[in-house]
Amino acid sequence: MTQSIESPLSVDQARYRLQEGLAARGAVRGRLSGDQLMLVATHFGLGNGARPVLRGRLVATGPGSRLDYRLGWNRVFAAVATAWAGVVAAMLLYGTGLTIVRLVTGGAAGGPAVLAAVALGMLLFVGGLIAGGRYLSRDEAPMLRAWLEERLRP
């Protein structure tokens, strides 16, 4: 979902204030390339792929400007997590389906049941890691918004 921050500053002034803030190397890091912005809030000693990444674009609006942005995961982290979850979910479905078929037909269901149990355990474990990472970074999205508003609304 795209969100916006309106600013009375021109695009050039907003760009300058954002660059100035990024040069300070504080808790918010990122890059500004032309009108494109990418920000990440950092907690020293804490790093995880589940932290929010803000991607935005400065747009001129008459005398002022507007930053249109989205919050999401790091794209590489999101792609790897999605692919991994897809493979493990397929293992879970295959193991569960084969277990059911073997139980119905009277065959040995031990191997497929173990596969399904391992896949379920893997999903729960990594899901817990991601949930924990999101919990630890829960204040980062509001921190990014506050940092932006401080610079774009003088």
Side-chain angles (χ1 to χ4, degrees), residues 29-49:
R29 306 277 174 97
R31 68 178 176 273
L32 180 62
S33 176
D35 295 337
Q36 302 294 318
L37 176 69
M38 191 279 301
L39 297 176
V40 176
T42 60
H43 288 290
F44 299 104
L46 171 68
N48 73 74

Side-chain angles (χ1 to χ4, degrees), residues 55-119:
R55 296 182 195 289
R57 181 170 182 261
L58 282 169
V59 179
T61 59
S65 60
R66 182 181 71 237
L67 177 69
D68 296 328
Y69 68 92
R70 298 182 87 146
L71 283 165
W73 279 354
N74 175 299
R75 290 179 180 157
V76 172
F77 177 81
V80 170
T82 302
W84 184 88
V87 169
V88 176
M91 287 172 46
L92 177 63
L93 291 173
Y94 176 76
T96 303
L98 195 54
T99 299
I100 292 169
V101 167
R102 289 198 177 167
L103 287 173
V104 169
T105 61
V114 169
L115 175 66
V118 167

